[in-house]
Amino acid sequence: MSRVAYVNGRFLPHAQASVHIEDRGYQLADGVYEVWAVFGGRLADAEGHFARLERSLGELRIALPMSPKALKLVLRETIRRNLVKNGLVYLQVTRGVAPRDHAFPARPVRPSIVITAKPVDMAAAEAKAAKGIGVVTTPETRWARCDIKTVALLPNVLAKQAARENGAGEAWFVDDLGLVTEGASSNAWIVDADGVLRTRDLNANILRGVTRKSLMELIARDGLQVSERPFSVEEAKQAREAFITGAGSLVTPVVCIDGAPVGDGAPGPVAKRLRASYLSEASNRAA
Ligand code: PLP
């Protein structure tokens, strides 16, 4: 089966899908993106991601190039044409194509839109989660608007590469106070020494994770204690458990931080249970 991409109104063979060299996403990172997990060919946490997409676009004053209803149809069609049962769908919207100039184009241009979909091997993902991942910590070097899901990801790229070079699966950004903000492509959590689930609050400079939000609902239903209170790298190393959340990682246990084991160095019971409940809940609600 050959992959198909949606580019500005057309479905094209993936290998031939391209945008203009003066697309502002390419030249200036002037655009946003969204990623949905796909379960059974349907979008996980569909509405949460649509709402964040609209917010990101609004913050940058980029118009959605089609109605939300049409966009949903195109996303589903991209999933269908790529025969994705379980996987990820990626959407990118940029300000469009215009002669290079930092300020917005003087004459409005049509935003560019690209959608791709790819399968995820769920058995391999489960095996990875069952083993847990390591994280490395890295100084927070990003801009002050990490609440906008922009394609400007250079600090995240460098952080992820540092993780890879150290055999880790994720990098956690650490602010000037020594507190963890979030991962390069996930939100960061611990189960602290008192058994309280901790993750950074939404007033901090982080992305408002859609998986994080859904998990909060599950946690409340489970009667677990949660506190949106920052934690230091030291607290994370002393924690009972640690894990990350995101459309790509779902809920993935963290078993070591900068080489130091978390708890007994194996995925913890809370993270494992939350992964299972998130998977089952998000699959049932996928739309
Ligand atoms: N934080 C960052 C920096 C991310 O890039 C992501 C996902 O890509 C997340 C958090 C998790 O967000 P979500 O759960 O909406 O995928």
Side-chain angles (χ1 to χ4, degrees), residues 80-96:
R80 195 189 67 78
R81 289 192 188 217
N82 285 283
L83 308 178
V84 173
K85 198 165 159 280
N86 299 312
L88 291 167
V89 60
Y90 175 88
L91 160 80
Q92 176 170 317
V93 180
T94 74
R95 200 176 304 280

Side-chain angles (χ1 to χ4, degrees), residues 33 49 52 142 149 182-187 207 209-211 245-247:
Y33 73 107
H49 287 282
R52 188 174 61 194
R142 299 175 301 161
K149 199 165 168 67
E182 63 179 330
S185 63
S186 60
N187 289 110
L207 187 74
V210 175
T211 318
T245 56

Side-chain angles (χ1 to χ4, degrees), residues 33-37 45 48-49 52 142 146 149 153 156 170 173 182-188 206-213 245-250 278:
Y33 73 107
E34 228 5 283
V35 180
W36 287 257
D45 286 326
H49 287 282
R52 188 174 61 194
R142 299 175 301 161
C146 292
K149 199 165 168 67
L153 288 170
N156 310 56
E170 178 58 303
F173 289 112
E182 63 179 330
S185 63
S186 60
N187 289 110
I206 61 167
L207 187 74
R208 298 170 186 179
V210 175
T211 318
R212 174 193 184 283
K213 184 164 183 266
T245 56
S249 50
L250 308 175
Y278 176 76

